[in-house]
Amino acid sequence: MAIQQLDHYFVRAKDLERSRHFYCELLGFNVMPRPDFPFPGYWLGVDGKIQVHMGLHGIPQAPRFYLGSDAQSATDNSGVVDHIAFTADAPEAMAERLRAAGVTPRLRYIAEVALLQLFVRDPDGLMIELNYPGITTLPAWAADAEGYAP
């Protein structure tokens, strides 16, 4: 038996609507049907596949429902997780949408593997990496992208 794929990750959001807006309106996720859990939250996905489960931070009985959170868990940034990555398309449109919303993505280009990346933090500080494979030459609009060569 082997792991097949990442199913989803859970985000404790300090402001559910602000986080839903970020993931849906800026990154392009859709709100998916979610069971009536005993805490407020969202399931967010793409093409009918749930990828982000979001719940409100600071709920009563949090240790009962949020099994990965304890008293030492980070409440800002991403704790022990450095970042979450997604494969995406239309990098220029995404960069424009983010900038129009006042969010400045950090761009990185790895020529050796023809990969353009956009990094952006969600409203609670979790680093989101958007990967755009198959970019064989750095586009002019991304000329400020940092290199990743030694």
Side-chain angles (χ1 to χ4, degrees), residues 1-64:
M1 180 184 339
I3 298 295
Q4 296 176 346
Q5 67 181 356
L6 176 67
D7 186 84
H8 71 274
Y9 67 94
F10 184 87
V11 172
R12 287 177 291 133
K14 293 177 186 165
D15 181 329
L16 278 176
E17 292 309 311
R18 181 181 69 177
S19 292
R20 182 205 52 77
H21 174 82
F22 173 83
Y23 281 91
C24 292
E25 303 305 319
L26 298 183
L27 298 185
F29 285 89
N30 298 303
V31 174
M32 308 292 291
R34 177 181 176 263
D36 187 19
F37 291 133
F39 56 89
Y42 290 105
W43 276 358
L44 306 176
V46 177
D47 295 330
K49 170 108 177 73
I50 298 162
Q51 296 179 338
V52 179
H53 184 188
M54 183 181 302
L56 183 62
H57 176 72
I59 63 165
Q61 299 182 350
R64 179 176 173 210

Side-chain angles (χ1 to χ4, degrees), residues 4-134:
Q4 296 176 346
Q5 67 181 356
L6 176 67
D7 186 84
H8 71 274
Y9 67 94
F10 184 87
V11 172
R12 287 177 291 133
K14 293 177 186 165
D15 181 329
L16 278 176
E17 292 309 311
R18 181 181 69 177
S19 292
R20 182 205 52 77
H21 174 82
F22 173 83
Y23 281 91
C24 292
E25 303 305 319
L26 298 183
L27 298 185
F29 285 89
N30 298 303
V31 174
M32 308 292 291
R34 177 181 176 263
D36 187 19
F37 291 133
F39 56 89
Y42 290 105
W43 276 358
L44 306 176
V46 177
D47 295 330
K49 170 108 177 73
I50 298 162
Q51 296 179 338
V52 179
H53 184 188
M54 183 181 302
L56 183 62
H57 176 72
I59 63 165
Q61 299 182 350
R64 179 176 173 210
F65 303 118
Y66 300 171
L67 301 180
S69 299
D70 60 28
Q72 287 74 44
S73 295
T75 58
D76 60 353
N77 212 311
S78 54
V80 297
V81 175
D82 183 79
H83 65 275
I84 303 294
F86 296 96
T87 302
D89 64 9
E92 183 175 12
M94 176 62 75
E96 288 175 10
R97 181 168 40 195
L98 290 168
R99 288 181 179 129
V103 178
T104 303
R106 181 173 177 173
L107 281 66
R108 180 178 289 162
Y109 182 63
I110 308 171
E112 296 81 1
V113 294
L115 180 66
L116 180 64
Q117 300 174 306
L118 274 69
F119 293 87
V120 63
R121 290 195 183 275
D122 83 355
D124 291 299
L126 177 60
M127 183 62 75
I128 304 295
E129 173 184 319
L130 303 174
N131 286 317
Y132 300 90

